[in-house]
Amino acid sequence: MRIGALEAGGTKMVCAVATEQGEILERESFPTTTPEESIPSLTSWFAERNVDALGIGAFGPTCVDPKSPDFGTILETPKLPWRGYALRAAFVDALDVPVGYDTDVNVACLGEATFGDSRGIADLVYVTIGTGVGAGVMCGGQLLHGMLHPEAGHMLLNRVPGDEGPCVCPSHDSCLEGLAAGPSIERRWGAKGFELADRPEVWELEASYLAQMCYNLVLCYSPRRIILGGGVMHQEQLYPLVREKTLRYLGGYITAPELEDIDSYIAAPSLSDNQGVLGCVELGRRALAAASA
Amino acid sequence: MRIGALEAGGTKMVCAVATEQGEILERESFPTTTPEESIPSLTSWFAERNVDALGIGAFGPTCVDPKSPDFGTILETPKLPWRGYALRAAFVDALDVPVGYDTDVNVACLGEATFGDSRGIADLVYVTIGTGVGAGVMCGGQLLHGMLHPEAGHMLLNRVPGDEGPCVCPSHDSCLEGLAAGPSIERRWGAKGFELADRPEVWELEASYLAQMCYNLVLCYSPRRIILGGGVMHQEQLYPLVREKTLRYLGGYITAPELEDIDSYIAAPSLSDNQGVLGCVELGRRALAAASA
């Protein structure tokens, strides 16, 4: 079987073909422009490769409820050409194969839980910290959707005393994305993260916000592991800081064997930035299995 | 079938017998003292009534993982006589019937989702705001457990500017339970909630904290409804205030049809304080069905 994978991001579209076992056979990226420009070359790419099924992980907000008439449609995004675009339907129509669909962060979570070091962990949170912050959540083996999908990247945080930096979120005064995503680091310190690698105060502050986030994630989802990915986490000095501060925020309130091994509890992605693509493969595999059942 | 229900709370134990359809036939409360004192009279109560199964909703922290050797054991509670007590096992041994087990807040959530106005809502959060704050969570029809169970009552909140009241949580500086549970209201205003009913500033502030909570619940769980129960919510003037402030915190960021009907989105319990008992009935019914399968 040849499973197609489409990681539909706000800046690029990553296409791949893989086996059901997650072996990536081919992979290519295209810039995300408008549906009129992007979609025909994407559908042709998959059609030429004769995929038996496709899995799509899309930027949000998007409708991930298979029972809704809007399933697979991009919703109120600031990327205006995509607003209201029926992304999944375009591939169903062009390819006539089973198409699975979820958010970009849920597929990254699924990729790690299926093919990564977190294989078999049924309660897993995957957070990407980059130009925005997004969380994919698996509870009891099911990806969490609810009425829309989680948007935990906008949870409230407490401003760290002394931090006068702006909250760059246009909708909220004191939210995670506004205080801790890449653009917030750049606005606060006047340079991009990778240019600030040798400024410990930058990462102390960033780690405090990410530790507040991890604290809330532990309390809300009680996951068995939290994976932190995305461009900001390329500053690997963050991991030990976030782990230490998370335990301090928890203050011993939650006791669980998983927390005693904090180095594996708060972990880096394990799939070399293929977690999203591989999650799409698993979505596609499931769509095919459901269609054949 | 006669299903037993035990709502095991920190101050009282509510016992009931009901039909599978949720008709409560008999009900009695006992004070929660020590296991040695409490348990024999509770097991006799159910044995005399010949129940075919039992459901238990217990105060936390407690182990709700059926695969764990600690399933049904009370964990690191400040109620010392109960720490490490194998609550479920005591009833399995005494009654020799199938026994379902979950947290007190998860059973309240299950009761509302099975027998209440939220019947059929698969993504539901039930929050009790009383001497503490606890949240029971159902995602995609499954009660959320994870490595322990949610403890969302201790999520971080932002202190409302001008509020100089103490955070009464012994573990955290700025958490929901510490800022908004009953004891916090009493410490801040020098009187109990019901004595403060005619002081609008009390409920404005309380509603701000509960709205921050609802905002975080929407972002983290994306529920189709949030039910607010517990003693503090007997001040019914809170509901419209919490609804209005939650929408303000969200700032239009999440659009979903459910949020457009905010009066049913943030709702009061619908089962006249029987939601916990009825959730236990459903747990017991499920345990019986699983044992007969």
Side-chain angles (χ1 to χ4, degrees), chain B:
Chain B
M1 288 295 166
R2 295 162 63 81
I3 314 285
L6 171 63
E7 210 185 350
T11 54
K12 65 177 176 176
M13 298 280 184
V14 181
C15 299
V17 177
T19 67
E20 291 159 271
Q21 289 74 35
E23 189 194 346
I24 297 176
L25 306 170
E26 198 177 348
R27 177 187 172 114
E28 197 171 343
S29 288
F30 301 87
T32 303
T33 56
T34 64
E36 292 67 32
E37 270 183 32
S38 297
I39 297 300
S41 44
L42 297 174
T43 52
S44 307
W45 196 91
F46 287 109
E48 285 160 14
R49 279 153 186 88
N50 258 318
V51 295
D52 299 293
L54 177 68
I56 302 176
F59 62 85
T62 184
C63 176
V64 293
D65 177 0
K67 291 184 201 139
S68 164
D70 290 332
F71 181 43
T73 296
I74 303 290
L75 302 175
E76 305 294 309
T77 174
K79 301 177 229 311
L80 295 181
W82 293 90
R83 192 177 280 188
Y85 184 71
L87 180 60
R88 178 177 176 274
F91 288 87
V92 171
D93 293 349
L95 301 176
D96 196 25
V97 297
V99 178
Y101 189 89
D102 213 310
T103 63
D104 47 6
V105 276
N106 264 355
V107 299
C109 186
L110 181 62
E112 290 284 349
T114 309
F115 298 109
D117 285 352
S118 300
R119 201 174 316 188
I121 296 186
D123 303 284
L124 184 67
V125 177
Y126 180 97
V127 188
T128 180
I129 305 122
T131 47
V133 180
V137 182
M138 183 179 277
C139 299
Q142 282 185 59
L143 293 170
L144 199 160
H145 293 153
M147 75 174 170
L148 177 64
H149 44 69
E151 282 282 352
H154 289 261
M155 65 170 70
L156 277 176
L157 295 188
N158 276 323
R159 196 171 269 276
V160 170
D163 175 25
E164 306 281 336
C167 176
V168 302
C169 176
S171 303
H172 310 123
D173 294 335
S174 183
C175 82
L176 168 55
E177 180 167 307
L179 290 169
S184 161
I185 297 176
E186 192 173 349
R187 279 278 293 281
R188 185 184 285 114
W189 303 98
K192 288 189 185 295
F194 68 88
E195 301 166 309
L196 298 162
D198 59 351
R199 299 265 304 272
E201 68 276 26
V202 174
W203 309 109
E204 277 290 328
L205 182 65
E206 179 70 11
S208 294
Y209 288 127
L210 298 181
Q212 287 186 18
M213 169 190 82
C214 288
Y215 166 91
N216 274 345
L217 296 175
V218 170
L219 295 176
C220 287
Y221 300 121
S222 198
R224 293 178 194 271
R225 178 174 289 167
I226 297 171
I227 300 174
L228 305 182
V232 169
M233 295 309 298
H234 290 161
Q235 298 297 320
E236 292 179 5
Q237 67 272 33
L238 278 169
Y239 290 98
L241 293 170
V242 173
R243 290 174 186 135
E244 183 211 323
K245 287 170 191 279
T246 299
L247 290 176
R248 217 183 304 153
Y249 278 113
L250 283 166
Y253 183 74
I254 305 283
T255 51
E258 288 86 347
L259 283 172
E260 284 164 30
D261 182 8
I262 192 74
D263 291 351
S264 16
Y265 190 77
I266 297 181
S270 69
L271 293 168
S272 317
D273 285 334
N274 282 324
Q275 53 272 21
V277 161
L278 287 170
C280 293
V281 171
E282 175 62 8
L283 268 192
R285 192 196 64 74
R286 290 181 181 186
L288 186 61
S292 320

Side-chain angles (χ1 to χ4, degrees), chain A residues 2-5 46 50-55 95 97-100 284-285 287-288:
Chain A
R2 294 163 64 80
I3 313 285
F46 288 109
N50 257 319
V51 295
D52 299 292
L54 177 68
L95 301 176
V97 297
V99 179
R285 192 198 63 74
L288 185 62

